[in-house]
């Protein structure tokens, strides 16, 4: 069941510009959302999260926006750097339940 | 370093064989999760254990099984292996249910 969807398998942006990665979910019980970053041959690493009581969370160059009515969240990276090139996974969980991951979006930041 | 360890790092075996993948969670984490990633696909949730008990099952084949031991380490057993089982298998751990997960480096399984 595809409860978390990342409809763009890949995204390419120029260094210094904004990267916007999108994620949609279907389960209205989800109340905690996360973004993970994955480099080749490594496990995913936690990047940033947001709970359903907020609509924005910022950490340096990374900002996550949550639109609960649209069941949509996005990750903004500004400015994008070549080292940000990786696969980004969106994940969501409901209280005390397992986490569901999207299929991932491969971000390429070109110098 | 996430604190989650997985062994072995690489595993090459033949069809029909059985293998065991091992995971040690971060100190203090009670939940262990197993995921499969095939050919740059997304993370497919297989199974979750919490404090020794099976907590949730995802897309895990009947040929696969797992357990979490009293010391909280976990093993994923894959039997009657098929070519299509070749993938990266990740283990993750978290303090509690629905909390941020920390991933191990993965085990790359190649079935020839």
């Amino acid at each position: 069941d595809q409860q978390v969807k990342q409809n763009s398998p890949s995204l390419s942006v120029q260094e210094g510009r904004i990267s916007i990665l999108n994620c949609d979910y279907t389960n209205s019980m989800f109340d905690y959302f996360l973004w993970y970053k994955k480099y080749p041959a490594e496990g995913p690493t936690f990047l940033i999260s947001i709970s359903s009581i907020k609509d924005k969370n910022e950490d340096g160059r990374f900002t996550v926006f949550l639109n609960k009515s649209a069941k949509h969240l996005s990750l903004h990276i500004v400015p994008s750097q070549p080292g940000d090139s990786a696969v980004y996974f969106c994940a969501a969980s409901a209280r005390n339940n397992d986490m569901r991951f999207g299929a991932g979006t491969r971000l390429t930041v070109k110098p | 370093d996430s604190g989650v360890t997985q062994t072995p790092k690489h595993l090459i075996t033949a069809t029909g064989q059985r293998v065991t993948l091992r995971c040690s969670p971060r100190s203090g984490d009670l939940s262990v999760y197993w995921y499969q990633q095939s050919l740059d696909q997304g993370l497919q949730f297989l199974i979750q254990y919490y404090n020794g008990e099976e907590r949730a099952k995802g897309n895990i084949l009947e040929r696969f099984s797992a357990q979490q031991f009293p010391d909280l380490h976990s093993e994923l057993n894959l039997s009657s292996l098929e070519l299509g089982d070749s993938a990266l298998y990740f283990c993750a751990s978290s303090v509690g249910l629905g909390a941020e997960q920390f991933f191990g480096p993965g085990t790359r399984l190649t079935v020839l």
Side-chain angles (χ1 to χ4, degrees), chain A residues 1-2 32 34 36 38 41-46 49 87 89 93-104 106, chain B residues 33 35 37 40-45 48 55-59 88 90 97-106:
Chain A
D1 62 358
Q2 289 276 292
Y32 187 50
L34 308 89
Y36 284 82
K38 185 183 179 302
E42 295 182 11
T45 55
F46 169 75
S49 65
V87 176
F89 291 100
S93 70
R95 190 179 300 276
N96 293 333
N97 279 294
D98 56 286
M99 195 165 292
R100 298 293 182 186
F101 284 80
R106 181 180 300 280
Chain B
Y33 309 77
Y35 294 88
Q37 186 184 23
D40 283 340
Q41 293 183 11
L43 292 165
Q44 296 293 319
F45 168 68
Q48 177 199 0
R55 177 70 177 79
K57 256 186 176 179
N59 300 320
L88 268 169
F90 289 103
L97 302 172
E100 172 195 336
Q101 297 178 22
F102 294 84
F103 284 78

Side-chain angles (χ1 to χ4, degrees), chain B residues 49-95:
Chain B
Y49 282 83
Y50 178 77
N51 203 20
E53 300 289 326
E54 183 183 301
R55 177 70 177 79
K57 256 186 176 179
N59 300 320
I60 187 166
L61 300 172
E62 287 192 10
R63 300 184 285 109
F64 296 0
S65 64
Q67 59 184 127
Q68 186 179 26
F69 294 86
D71 66 353
L72 300 178
H73 92 270
S74 178
E75 292 181 355
L76 178 66
N77 300 296
L78 314 176
S79 61
S80 302
L81 285 168
E82 302 175 359
L83 295 177
D85 297 328
S86 295
L88 268 169
Y89 291 84
F90 289 103
C91 168
S93 72
S94 67
V95 170

Side-chain angles (χ1 to χ4, degrees), chain A residues 25-62:
Chain A
Y25 62 95
T26 57
N27 189 340
S28 58
M29 299 301 291
F30 286 148
D31 58 5
Y32 187 50
F33 305 89
L34 308 89
W35 285 94
Y36 284 82
K37 179 178 178 179
K38 185 183 179 302
Y39 292 115
E42 295 182 11
T45 55
F46 169 75
L47 188 59
I48 193 170
S49 65
I50 188 168
S51 77
S52 58
I53 62 173
K54 300 175 76 172
D55 54 19
K56 177 182 174 182
N57 189 25
E58 197 170 348
D59 183 2
R61 297 184 297 112
F62 302 90

